[in-house]
Amino acid sequence: MAAARGTQSKSAPAKSGAKAGATKIAQVGWADARPAPVVLVSGPEAFLADRATQTIRTALHETHPDLEVHDIDAASYAAGELFTFASPSLFAEPRLLRVDGVEKSSDAFIEDAKRYVVDPAEDTVLVLRHAGGQRGKALLDLLRRGTPGAVEIACAEVKKDADRLAFAQAEFRRLGAQISPAALRMLVAAYAGGIGELAGACVQLVSDVGNRIDEGAVTRATEGRVETNAFRVADAATAGRGADALVLLRQALSTGTDPIPMLAALNMKVRAMARVYGATGNGGQLAKELGMAPWQVDRAQREVRGWREEDLARCIDQAAETEWLLKGGTRDPEYALEKFVLLVARRGRERV
């Protein structure tokens, strides 16, 4: 812990000619996330933010098996909570404080955090998750002006094909696997949704095939296990065919398909429908405005017919809850996924 507190002092000093207000906080890539007295995880890419936060937790736990972990919701924060959690316990165990939703934080949290970051507690790592927006700007400005010991991990949304290819390649390296360039392009093309879906596909592929992956392996995997099954479930659910969707889901799970890519495929379809909901214009024009391929726009417009805006909103909210459940929030992830599939199939009109 003590070493982490000295991180900022080792970073290069700002040049004398730098603009006033220029960022001085130490910048760290999400793949190189490390503990520090205060860590700002910024940007809209939730998967990378979760990965960075988990990396910090793992690093701390390896060094301190007695690590105390406290989760704080900035939106419902009450004055004084931060200092209570940061206070040394009877046995002085190191602490990790994870604060979510800083972009929706209460006034009390902003004030307490501004006081805390200028004098962080000993043996404590504070991770602040800010997904974007103006709320909490005063706190972020304070951190970025060079709060001692603070680092920022920027998690920008991964949209460009080149960035997605680089991300997938990094995932295979992390898993100790090699994939041919052509196979990599095929895999990235097959998973055009969120990078969480793509990461799940990489894990599944290595698990099924091994550490040397070629085009044939990707073709078999995407056609037979993950892509086809996941999107067949998603197609049936968004069309309102709940019984069919459940049968397909159970068949896929019984063959070993991971629930995370299944959820990602369904969530991708729901979000695509939400993006085109109420939009007017031809497919090509909307594709440019929405950052989608024309065929994706056309398909989403067909699928969204008959849906209500409130149904889409409810499904998107439930997708986030289901993702949390699948990542350790429940002992029965398959049941959680079934509930979400039924919710989508019933278009939010019935409680599941």
Side-chain angles (χ1 to χ4, degrees), residues 7 31 40 46 60 74 131 145 151 157 164 182-183 192 218 220 262 275 301 328 349:
T7 299
L40 170 61
L60 288 171
R145 282 198 296 267
V151 300
E157 192 171 2
R164 294 173 65 82
V218 172
R220 291 190 297 272
M262 301 291 291
R275 292 170 77 178
Q301 286 180 318
R349 292 192 178 96

Side-chain angles (χ1 to χ4, degrees), residues 102-105 110 130-141:
V102 176
E103 73 279 2
K104 299 177 288 187
S105 57
I110 293 175
H130 191 286
Q134 292 300 305
R135 183 65 176 163
K137 184 176 183 300
L139 172 61
L140 268 58
D141 287 346

Side-chain angles (χ1 to χ4, degrees), residues 61-277:
H61 193 266
E62 288 176 352
T63 307
H64 306 281
D66 55 347
L67 178 72
E68 287 186 8
V69 181
H70 299 282
D71 290 307
I72 301 172
D73 180 7
S76 59
Y77 178 89
E81 283 185 85
L82 182 59
F83 300 102
T84 298
F85 286 128
S87 298
S89 64
L90 179 62
F91 299 101
E93 293 92 346
R95 292 168 299 283
L96 169 62
L97 310 183
R98 300 183 297 198
V99 184
D100 191 36
V102 176
E103 73 279 2
K104 299 177 288 187
S105 57
S106 66
D107 291 340
F109 176 78
I110 293 175
E111 292 307 311
D112 280 1
K114 287 163 64 178
R115 288 171 50 206
Y116 178 90
V117 299
V118 298
D119 186 22
E122 293 285 345
D123 294 323
T124 299
V125 170
L126 173 65
V127 177
L128 302 172
R129 172 72 181 115
H130 191 286
Q134 292 300 305
R135 183 65 176 163
K137 184 176 183 300
L139 172 61
L140 268 58
D141 287 346
L142 176 62
L143 287 168
R144 288 168 173 162
R145 282 198 296 267
T147 298
V151 300
E152 179 173 8
I153 302 172
C155 299
E157 192 171 2
V158 181
K159 288 184 176 181
K160 296 180 179 179
D161 288 343
D163 294 337
R164 294 173 65 82
L165 285 166
F167 170 79
Q169 184 68 73
E171 282 295 285
F172 284 113
R173 283 198 299 268
R174 184 179 68 84
L175 295 167
Q178 295 180 350
I179 183 170
S180 70
L184 181 67
R185 289 193 295 271
M186 287 176 60
L187 184 68
V188 171
Y191 293 91
I195 59 169
E197 174 197 11
L198 180 56
C202 295
V203 173
Q204 186 73 46
L205 195 56
V206 173
S207 175
D208 291 345
V209 177
N211 59 7
R212 290 189 176 275
I213 301 161
D214 58 17
E215 294 172 67
V218 172
T219 298
R220 291 190 297 272
T222 55
E223 288 181 355
R225 281 185 75 106
V226 179
E227 184 192 35
T228 300
N229 284 346
F231 283 98
R232 286 178 66 199
V233 172
D235 287 341
T238 52
R241 296 185 283 111
D244 290 344
L246 278 183
V247 169
L248 290 167
L249 174 64
R250 289 166 183 166
Q251 288 175 345
L253 294 174
S254 70
T255 62
T257 302
D258 190 274
I260 294 292
M262 301 291 291
L263 172 64
L266 184 53
N267 191 25
M268 182 181 70
K269 289 180 72 71
V270 172
R271 288 186 175 276
M273 292 159 60
R275 292 170 77 178
V276 304
Y277 184 86

